[in-house]
Amino acid sequence: MNSCLFCKIVRGEIPAQVVYDDDRVMAFKDIDPKAPVHLLIIPKKHMASLADVTAEDGACLGHILQVAAQLAHEQGFSDRGYRVVNNCHQDGGQAVDHLHFHLLAGRAMQWPPG
Ligand code: 5GP
Ligand code: ZN
């Protein structure tokens, strides 16, 4: 999608600190981190939100979660723990309309979230 911020990052038109990249998925550092480690993991294919996912996207979503676990493991957070978050639409707090999962680690998280 031409005007989408994260599609621009996928195309390399906007710089990002990319930590993972394959044919389906990209992960990069959040520009405004909310934890010592704050990565965004996205499908390269534009999907506006979790509400827009279809059955055929299931494998890609599973892959995103597997990449999240892999990155957390590589960065040494598997044992201590971490949080994976998706914000969907207005009440979920979604600001960027390209599906993304936050990987937060390096501090104790609160529950319930605000
Ligand atoms: P949301 O609120 O939509 O779940 O999260 C959007 C996230 O994207 C926020 O944590 C925000 O800091 C991050 N973000 C917004 N613009 C940029 C950008 O240009 N580059 C990067 N790396 N992150 C961004
Ligand atoms: Zn997009």
Side-chain angles (χ1 to χ4, degrees), residues 1 4-8 43-47 97-99:
M1 220 184 144
C4 169
L5 177 65
F6 288 174
C7 283
K8 288 182 179 176
K44 286 188 166 178
K45 172 187 164 187
H46 181 85
M47 307 173 199
D97 290 336
H98 179 127
L99 179 64

Side-chain angles (χ1 to χ4, degrees), residues 17-111:
Q17 290 185 274
V18 177
V19 298
Y20 182 88
D21 187 7
D22 68 22
D23 56 328
R24 285 180 288 171
V25 167
M26 184 181 264
F28 49 88
K29 294 185 180 179
D30 196 291
I31 204 168
D32 181 17
K34 312 298 189 297
V37 173
H38 187 172
L39 303 178
L40 299 173
I41 308 169
I42 69 167
K44 286 188 166 178
K45 172 187 164 187
H46 181 85
M47 307 173 199
S49 78
L50 194 60
D52 297 282
V53 163
T54 65
E56 68 182 28
D57 299 318
C60 183
L61 262 70
H63 183 50
I64 285 174
L65 291 179
Q66 182 267 317
V67 167
Q70 178 185 322
L71 290 171
H73 176 73
E74 287 171 3
Q75 301 205 14
F77 292 102
S78 277
D79 290 342
R80 191 170 147 188
Y82 51 90
R83 183 169 288 175
V84 176
V85 175
N86 171 257
N87 299 324
C88 182
H89 289 172
Q90 190 172 341
D91 276 4
Q94 182 174 6
V96 176
D97 290 336
H98 179 127
L99 179 64
H100 53 281
F101 291 81
H102 300 255
L103 171 59
L104 299 150
R107 65 169 172 82
M109 305 293 157
Q110 305 298 310
W111 192 262

